[in-house]
Amino acid sequence: MDNFTRVSNNMQLQLQHQLTKPQQTESQGFAEALKKELEKSGSVKFSKHAIERIQSRGVEMSPQMMESLNQAVTKAREKGCKDIAVIGEKNAFIVSVQNNMVITTMNALEMRENIFTNIDSAVLL
């Protein structure tokens, strides 16, 4: 199945792009330009570690979840937060607000067994 047929908005495209490593082709210049445009949109980015955790832990990244995550980070930035835990019913994200970067994520079971450290705020979804 063509990867682009499942993309419905730029947030999904960004996550899909980060989850799959593009092959080196002549269109690499286009890929770089697209990446820069996505970064301008203000949407959170995902660290390599976070992408690995999303895949291994089966965290569902729907367009609604991306929107909620972006709104949480925006609100936290307005309050002057630096590192936050964004906590939902099914998963949690540790986000560097300053870098606009999701550092890691965990599912509900892992949330119960962990202590959140090195954060200055929490946002509940």
Side-chain angles (χ1 to χ4, degrees):
M1 178 181 283
D2 182 6
N3 286 338
F4 293 108
T5 59
R6 303 181 89 193
V7 176
S8 62
N9 63 38
N10 69 349
M11 286 181 274
Q12 280 183 301
L13 177 60
Q14 179 185 11
L15 182 58
Q16 185 173 352
H17 174 72
Q18 290 178 345
L19 290 174
T20 59
K21 294 181 181 178
Q23 296 180 3
Q24 296 291 340
T25 63
E26 292 180 12
S27 65
Q28 193 65 21
F30 173 76
E32 285 299 314
L34 180 60
K35 183 178 177 182
K36 287 179 184 178
E37 284 301 313
L38 288 173
E39 289 173 358
K40 288 180 187 178
S41 71
S43 182
V44 294
K45 299 176 288 280
F46 293 81
S47 69
K48 182 177 179 181
H49 176 80
I51 292 169
E52 290 171 359
R53 294 300 177 258
I54 288 169
Q55 290 174 328
S56 68
R57 294 172 174 166
V59 174
E60 182 182 335
M61 293 304 300
S62 66
Q64 295 81 12
M65 177 55 73
M66 284 298 300
E67 182 64 26
S68 296
L69 189 57
N70 282 314
Q71 288 176 358
V73 172
T74 299
K75 288 178 184 178
R77 183 175 292 111
E78 290 170 358
K79 296 286 185 177
C81 302
K82 295 179 181 172
D83 295 299
I84 63 171
V86 180
I87 304 169
E89 289 181 32
K90 296 181 181 180
N91 43 45
F93 303 89
I94 304 301
V95 182
S96 169
V97 176
Q98 292 174 321
N99 298 325
N100 207 36
M101 177 82 62
V102 176
I103 305 302
T104 194
T105 186
M106 59 196 72
N107 61 29
L109 178 62
E110 293 164 326
M111 284 192 291
R112 290 188 194 112
E113 299 172 358
N114 278 312
I115 297 172
F116 297 103
T117 59
N118 298 326
I119 63 168
D120 61 14
S121 303
V123 180
L124 303 177
L125 297 179

